[in-house]
Amino acid sequence: MTAAPMVSTYSMWSLFRNCRKAVEWRHLRELVPLERDWNLHFGSLIHECLQSWHLRRDLSEVLTRIDRLCPRRLQDEGERRDWHLATAMMKGYAASYPSEGFEVIGLEKAFQGPIINPATGAASRSFVLAGKVDGVVRIGSDHFLLENKTASQLDADYLERLWTDFQITLYAYYVEQALGIPITGVIYNILVKARLQQGKGETEEEFQARRSELLAKSKTGKTTAKRKLPEADEEFQQRLEEKYAEPGMFHREMLYLSRDRFDILRSELWELTQAFLDARRRGVFYQNTSFCFNYHRPCAYFALCRSNGNPNVVENFYQRAAPHEELREPSGEANEPVF
Amino acid sequence: MSILPSAKTPPKPGLADLTVLVYGQTKIGKSTFCSHANGALFLATEPGLNAVEVFQVPIQSWEDLLAACAEIAEGQHPFRTAVLDTVDNAYKFCTDYILKKFKIDHESDLAYGKGHALVNNEFQRVLTKLAFLPYGLFLISHAKEIEVETRTGKYTRIVPTLPDKARKIVLGMVDMVLYCDLDLTPGEDGTQNLRRVIRTKPSLYYEAGDRTGRLPETLDLDFRKFLDAFNAAVSPLKSQGAAKAPAAK
């Protein structure tokens, strides 16, 4: 009896291209950092909001969902920040797109398909590829993938990079194969994260220090300086809403997919499967040290690699979680009140 | 002659080969515990050893620590175990040393986190070099509570009082993380008994660890009992090592 093929995803192959050691930690040892990554949390929150919005276009439902997904916002600073940003972002989004030029065919569409050897046309017995697209939409008679993205900054590099997006080409190919929908291109739906911070105010000591500095500089020996108080939630929300009314906070980029890209991609994907099998057979997943600080911050497994896999680091800073979390059903429905 | 090894490195069977982090609340008995280590030499960065009779070198700066380490490395002494008491203060001395060297007031005065990285690199360099010496190394730290937000919720966790990155460096290089704690157990007459213990396995609520994986989860905070447990845990390794010794060709 042969074992069932291993389910692989875009994120696994992407990580494998970047650092094999990280794949070993995540997909074979099934380790994730113990502490939650705020960026990932916010991204999944907005994904759920967009799914809800594109399904029924009911802003009050979306805002209620944000309230429910940030239940500790009164006590927890991080959650309050998420709540403020998500609320203003979704209000701005609804105002920016009061009507849509596309028809939604499906949201969060999951797919799974074989990985084909381009030389022989045979399917891999070791891997299948699974994934989930944010949406499939129709404009006229053409179908497009809808890809939601949150970005800290939307600049020329960001937009140009979309052309080399391995993920979406891969998804388009598999959606065509698995769901039988011919895909013309991709609509990147980009939402920019505002960098505004809620004013924290200053302590009495900080105020006195600032006041003393101002007095020292003042020719009259007087100052009208007042202590800065923390910014009220309403004021901060207002500031965020004004920010989201500015042009450039939402952007849609439509790209058409070339059929040639599909062939290149099939070939690359097959090569990756062979490299993975070789690494697993020999038990060698080497580290790509150029990737350790890829986004100007340490990789999630940096502490682990630096300690040469010390079990103390594994047990105190990581926990086990099954891979391919992106394939799980969103938590939104599960969070519906039972009564 | 080839420098490549001809045999695998056996597991470290002796306590004197290990690097151990001991942490816990003030006055629980961390220094007393370490003072019973074989041939202990305290690198004392803070007062507090008055009640313990030990050999100690007062350390008041990073330069003092480097000088003491250099002398330990020379080997002209009877000591078998170095005890850095506390590693928290050593980290502060390391920070002061880097600030002075680069003529800055704070690590963040150097752009893009460079100051923090310089401190951490210097700290790791010296601790790694010290751990490679043929002596046991005990690092002592105090305990603090931090809030950790995980995927499943928020927890208050007891951890050594080192900055986050330094803590990851230290935990990544030590063989054991021993958390000194008070264990509350109900007595026969219904009263609560307080026992000073060492916790050797990690939990969501505190950091701990044991690379040998053979120590019991909880031990009395008593060096003799710890040593007995350690020797019992590593004795199979010693016999394995003897059995697997490669025959001379």
Side-chain angles (χ1 to χ4, degrees):
Chain A
M1 201 177 84
T2 53
M6 179 181 176
V7 176
S8 66
T9 57
Y10 160 77
S11 63
M12 180 181 123
W13 294 118
S14 172
L15 192 59
F16 186 72
R17 288 206 300 190
N18 289 324
C19 179
R20 295 181 179 201
K21 194 71 194 171
V23 169
E24 187 187 10
W25 295 130
R26 178 67 191 101
H27 292 274
L28 299 181
R29 301 275 304 272
E30 302 194 345
L31 296 175
V32 289
L34 190 63
E35 292 197 46
R36 188 168 69 154
D37 183 330
W38 180 77
N39 290 309
L40 294 180
H41 175 253
F42 183 75
S44 52
L45 169 63
I46 287 298
H47 257 75
E48 286 196 34
C49 291
L50 287 171
Q51 190 195 357
S52 167
W53 169 253
H54 286 131
L55 196 63
R56 285 184 279 273
R57 297 183 67 80
D58 180 345
L59 182 59
S60 64
E61 182 189 303
V62 172
L63 298 180
T64 306
R65 181 177 289 263
I66 297 171
D67 289 350
R68 207 165 52 236
L69 291 172
C70 302
R72 290 172 297 152
R73 61 188 178 279
L74 292 179
Q75 307 88 31
D76 185 312
E77 201 177 319
E79 215 160 84
R80 186 160 58 246
R81 192 175 50 207
D82 281 3
W83 181 88
H84 271 301
L85 193 53
T87 301
M89 191 182 253
M90 289 312 298
K91 282 181 181 172
Y93 185 82
S96 288
Y97 303 108
S99 62
E100 291 289 10
F102 55 69
E103 178 196 352
V104 175
I105 302 297
L107 295 168
E108 297 288 319
K109 294 288 264 185
F111 61 80
Q112 183 167 311
I115 297 178
I116 306 291
N117 179 348
T120 63
S124 168
R125 285 176 294 170
S126 306
F127 302 99
V128 290
L129 190 114
K132 196 186 265 184
V133 289
D134 293 336
V136 179
V137 299
R138 185 163 55 202
I139 301 175
S141 58
D142 291 331
H143 289 88
F144 291 80
L145 294 185
L146 181 68
E147 173 72 0
N148 299 322
K149 285 184 177 289
T150 52
S152 301
Q153 191 176 338
L154 183 61
D155 54 16
D157 283 354
Y158 187 96
L159 293 175
E160 292 210 17
R161 231 180 9 247
L162 296 177
W163 282 100
T164 61
D165 190 346
F166 179 69
Q167 178 182 17
I168 208 67
T169 317
L170 190 69
Y171 281 12
Y173 173 77
Y174 275 92
V175 166
E176 282 202 3
Q177 302 298 313
L179 306 180
I181 303 171
I183 300 295
T184 304
V186 187
I187 298 170
Y188 286 99
N189 184 31
I190 305 161
L191 297 85
V192 179
K193 287 185 274 188
R195 290 180 176 181
L196 302 182
Q197 299 283 330
Q198 187 165 15
K200 286 185 176 168
E202 59 189 352
T203 62
E204 183 60 31
E205 284 168 1
E206 286 167 340
F207 168 60
Q208 290 303 341
R210 184 168 65 88
R211 190 167 175 273
S212 304
E213 276 181 30
L214 290 171
L215 285 171
K217 286 179 191 168
S218 168
K219 289 176 183 171
T220 59
K222 291 178 183 173
T223 173
T224 55
K226 287 182 182 168
R227 184 177 160 189
K228 289 178 192 163
L229 297 172
E231 186 176 18
D233 284 339
E234 295 75 18
E235 286 171 32
F236 181 50
Q237 188 57 217
Q238 178 67 31
R239 230 162 31 96
L240 277 169
E241 285 175 18
E242 284 165 13
K243 182 71 188 168
Y244 275 108
E246 289 177 11
M249 296 306 280
F250 304 104
H251 180 82
R252 283 191 180 159
E253 189 78 8
M254 188 187 278
L255 300 186
Y256 286 84
L257 292 171
S258 122
R259 300 286 114 178
D260 294 343
R261 286 285 299 161
F262 281 4
D263 293 337
I264 295 169
L265 174 133
R266 280 175 49 170
S267 171
E268 282 184 6
L269 188 56
W270 181 258
E271 284 305 314
L272 286 170
T273 62
Q274 299 311 294
F276 187 99
L277 288 174
D278 183 52
R280 194 168 62 180
R281 188 166 50 244
R282 293 188 293 120
V284 178
F285 286 84
Y286 54 79
Q287 198 183 341
N288 173 13
T289 49
S290 304
F291 189 68
C292 295
F293 287 84
N294 192 39
Y295 298 106
H296 303 292
R297 57 179 178 179
C299 156
Y301 300 101
F302 181 69
L304 198 43
C305 287
R306 185 172 52 189
S307 74
N308 301 316
N310 187 329
N312 291 333
V313 175
V314 173
E315 291 166 0
N316 285 292
F317 298 121
Y318 295 86
Q319 66 182 119
R320 285 180 214 291
H324 310 314
E325 290 172 296
E326 66 268 41
L327 299 181
R328 288 189 208 142
E329 289 302 313
S331 60
E333 301 311 317
N335 284 349
E336 295 288 347
V338 290
F339 180 70
Chain B
M1 200 179 87
S2 172
I3 59 162
L4 300 181
S6 55
K8 286 182 180 175
T9 319
K12 297 170 181 174
L15 199 55
D17 301 317
L18 299 182
T19 304
V20 181
L21 173 68
V22 180
Y23 82 102
Q25 66 186 69
T26 312
K27 297 292 166 201
I28 196 167
K30 303 179 290 291
S31 302
T32 306
F33 174 81
C34 294
S35 70
H36 293 106
N38 181 25
L41 170 67
F42 273 71
L43 304 170
T45 67
E46 64 178 18
L49 283 171
N50 301 341
V52 192
E53 193 182 358
V54 290
F55 290 98
Q56 59 172 299
V57 183
I59 303 289
Q60 286 169 353
S61 67
W62 190 246
E63 288 88 341
D64 285 353
L65 183 66
L66 296 182
C69 291
E71 209 166 314
I72 292 170
E74 278 178 15
Q76 307 297 318
H77 55 77
F79 303 110
R80 309 305 309 154
T81 306
V83 182
L84 184 52
D85 187 3
T86 63
V87 68
D88 316 334
N89 276 353
Y91 187 80
K92 283 179 197 138
F93 293 152
C94 180
T95 305
D96 293 342
Y97 170 79
I98 292 293
L99 296 183
K100 204 165 103 187
K101 188 173 173 184
F102 288 87
K103 298 184 176 73
I104 49 176
D105 292 329
H106 192 268
E107 304 96 288
S108 57
D109 289 350
L110 293 179
Y112 304 110
K114 190 180 165 193
H116 294 283
L118 286 168
V119 174
N120 289 332
N121 283 359
E122 171 66 5
F123 182 67
Q124 186 171 14
R125 180 189 75 78
V126 172
L127 284 195
T128 307
K129 204 169 169 183
L130 197 54
F132 271 131
L133 296 178
Y135 306 108
L137 175 62
F138 279 70
L139 307 172
I140 297 180
S141 175
H142 295 296
K144 67 176 176 184
E145 288 186 351
I146 59 167
E147 200 170 59
V148 178
E149 186 167 7
T150 70
R151 294 158 172 243
T152 49
K154 276 192 172 180
Y155 298 90
T156 300
R157 204 167 195 220
I158 299 166
V159 302
T161 40
L162 279 166
D164 189 50
K165 282 190 178 169
R167 210 172 87 239
K168 284 184 179 164
I169 290 171
V170 170
L171 259 72
M173 63 178 288
V174 300
D175 298 293
M176 291 180 192
V177 184
L178 306 180
Y179 168 46
C180 304
D181 190 18
L182 293 171
D183 197 34
L184 205 62
T185 47
E188 285 176 5
D189 54 354
T191 56
Q192 300 281 4
N193 291 333
L194 264 183
R195 190 166 67 108
R196 293 179 187 207
V197 295
I198 300 170
R199 303 198 188 278
T200 69
K201 302 285 185 284
S203 123
L204 267 178
Y205 306 103
Y206 52 83
E207 289 179 351
D210 161 32
R211 278 189 91 155
T212 69
R214 293 167 183 228
L215 287 178
E217 194 164 339
T218 309
L219 281 159
D220 281 339
L221 181 57
D222 178 321
F223 196 83
R224 182 161 294 281
K225 288 184 181 171
F226 166 72
L227 197 58
D228 288 346
F230 178 79
N231 286 334
V234 297
S235 59
L237 295 178
K238 284 181 180 169
S239 55
Q240 269 174 28
K244 286 183 182 173
K249 284 185 180 173

